[in-house]
Amino acid sequence: MDYLEQIRNYEPYNEQEKADKEQILYYASIFDDLLTRENKIAHFSASSFIFNKTRDKILFIYHNIYKAWTWTGGHADGEDNFLNVALREAKEETGLKSVKPITNEIFTLEILPVWGHVKRGKYVVAHQHINVTYIFEADEQEELHIKEDENSGVKWIKIDEIKKYSDEKDMYPYYDKILDKMKKIGL
């Protein structure tokens, strides 16, 4: 199944996802380069919530650009298998070697604003990430490593303490949505 078919078949969890899904499909109808950063308006990214085995902790990174504790993720950069993108980014950004999907399906869908910023000495214009999120599980005893060019910390955080660590208040509704959906479907 191709990536746009996955988006079309995705059942929105809430009103935010319903509206974002419509916008994503609209973007797909007018742009043919959403898989690459060549599209300066919007492009695909894939993120992950990495849970420990008892599902009472989440693995966050301290993101150097955003100066905040946050989930792992990255740009599709031409790849249309978003699960692979999320898995690769999870491993690269945390040092984990063994990360497994709790489900292979897209878990949540969102359009995330990215403010203009400087990366590797170049200005990156404000744009949107068309984001798909996956949920993974990892052993919290496994050794962690930072990815110095992207983050300066990797830490297991108790789920009920996420907001104590994360300063990105705009992300709270997305984190809450993921945790709420996990609870509702019994994962």
Side-chain angles (χ1 to χ4, degrees), residues 12 20 22 29 34 39 57 66-67 72 74 83 85 104 106 126 129 141 144 150 153 159 161 166-167 170-171 174 180:
D20 285 0
E22 286 178 26
S29 75
L34 293 175
N39 188 311
K57 292 181 184 171
Y66 302 121
K67 305 285 187 234
T72 64
L83 176 61
V85 173
N104 290 331
I106 294 170
H129 280 175
Q141 301 307 314
L144 304 172
E150 292 188 25
I159 286 175
E161 294 183 356
S166 176
D167 292 335
D170 293 344
M171 297 305 293
Y174 304 111
D180 185 59

Side-chain angles (χ1 to χ4, degrees), residues 103-157:
T103 174
N104 290 331
E105 304 300 317
I106 294 170
F107 196 69
T108 65
L109 187 67
E110 43 276 321
I111 296 177
L112 303 171
V114 178
W115 298 110
H117 60 276
V118 175
K119 185 171 185 176
R120 296 183 181 109
K122 290 188 172 187
Y123 184 74
V124 177
V125 69
H127 59 280
Q128 295 179 327
H129 280 175
I130 303 168
N131 194 66
V132 292
T133 301
Y134 293 89
I135 52 174
F136 297 123
E137 180 181 280
D139 182 348
E140 70 180 292
Q141 301 307 314
E142 189 174 333
E143 191 173 349
L144 304 172
H145 299 281
I146 63 172
K147 186 172 188 283
E148 291 183 10
D149 63 328
E150 292 188 25
N151 66 59
S152 55
V154 181
K155 176 190 283 200
W156 287 100
I157 297 171

Side-chain angles (χ1 to χ4, degrees), residues 34-187:
L34 293 175
L35 289 174
T36 73
R37 292 184 236 194
E38 296 302 311
N39 188 311
K40 304 290 188 215
I41 296 169
H43 45 258
F44 275 100
S45 62
S47 296
S48 61
F49 248 46
I50 307 168
F51 292 91
N52 64 347
K53 292 182 183 205
T54 55
R55 308 247 166 85
D56 61 345
K57 292 181 184 171
I58 183 87
L59 188 59
F60 267 19
I61 60 166
Y62 190 82
H63 199 286
N64 291 340
I65 290 174
Y66 302 121
K67 305 285 187 234
W69 288 99
T70 189
W71 54 8
T72 64
H75 294 95
D77 285 336
E79 186 169 348
D80 63 0
N81 184 325
F82 300 137
L83 176 61
N84 285 348
V85 173
L87 191 57
R88 180 184 65 241
E89 293 291 330
K91 289 178 177 181
E92 285 178 2
E93 294 179 0
T94 67
L96 288 171
K97 299 206 181 333
S98 180
V99 181
K100 67 177 188 175
I102 295 171
T103 174
N104 290 331
E105 304 300 317
I106 294 170
F107 196 69
T108 65
L109 187 67
E110 43 276 321
I111 296 177
L112 303 171
V114 178
W115 298 110
H117 60 276
V118 175
K119 185 171 185 176
R120 296 183 181 109
K122 290 188 172 187
Y123 184 74
V124 177
V125 69
H127 59 280
Q128 295 179 327
H129 280 175
I130 303 168
N131 194 66
V132 292
T133 301
Y134 293 89
I135 52 174
F136 297 123
E137 180 181 280
D139 182 348
E140 70 180 292
Q141 301 307 314
E142 189 174 333
E143 191 173 349
L144 304 172
H145 299 281
I146 63 172
K147 186 172 188 283
E148 291 183 10
D149 63 328
E150 292 188 25
N151 66 59
S152 55
V154 181
K155 176 190 283 200
W156 287 100
I157 297 171
K158 290 182 181 177
I159 286 175
D160 60 357
E161 294 183 356
I162 289 174
K163 292 176 183 169
K164 193 166 128 181
Y165 284 90
S166 176
D167 292 335
E168 289 184 296
K169 291 181 179 23
D170 293 344
M171 297 305 293
Y172 292 177
Y174 304 111
Y175 297 161
D176 289 343
K177 173 183 66 170
I178 293 166
L179 296 172
D180 185 59
K181 187 173 181 181
M182 288 277 298
K183 204 177 297 180
K184 280 196 175 158
I185 63 175
L187 290 178

Side-chain angles (χ1 to χ4, degrees), residues 10-19 109 173 177:
Y10 179 77
E11 189 64 41
Y13 181 68
N14 59 18
E15 289 300 313
Q16 167 264 308
E17 288 195 346
K18 183 178 177 188
L109 187 67
K177 173 183 66 170

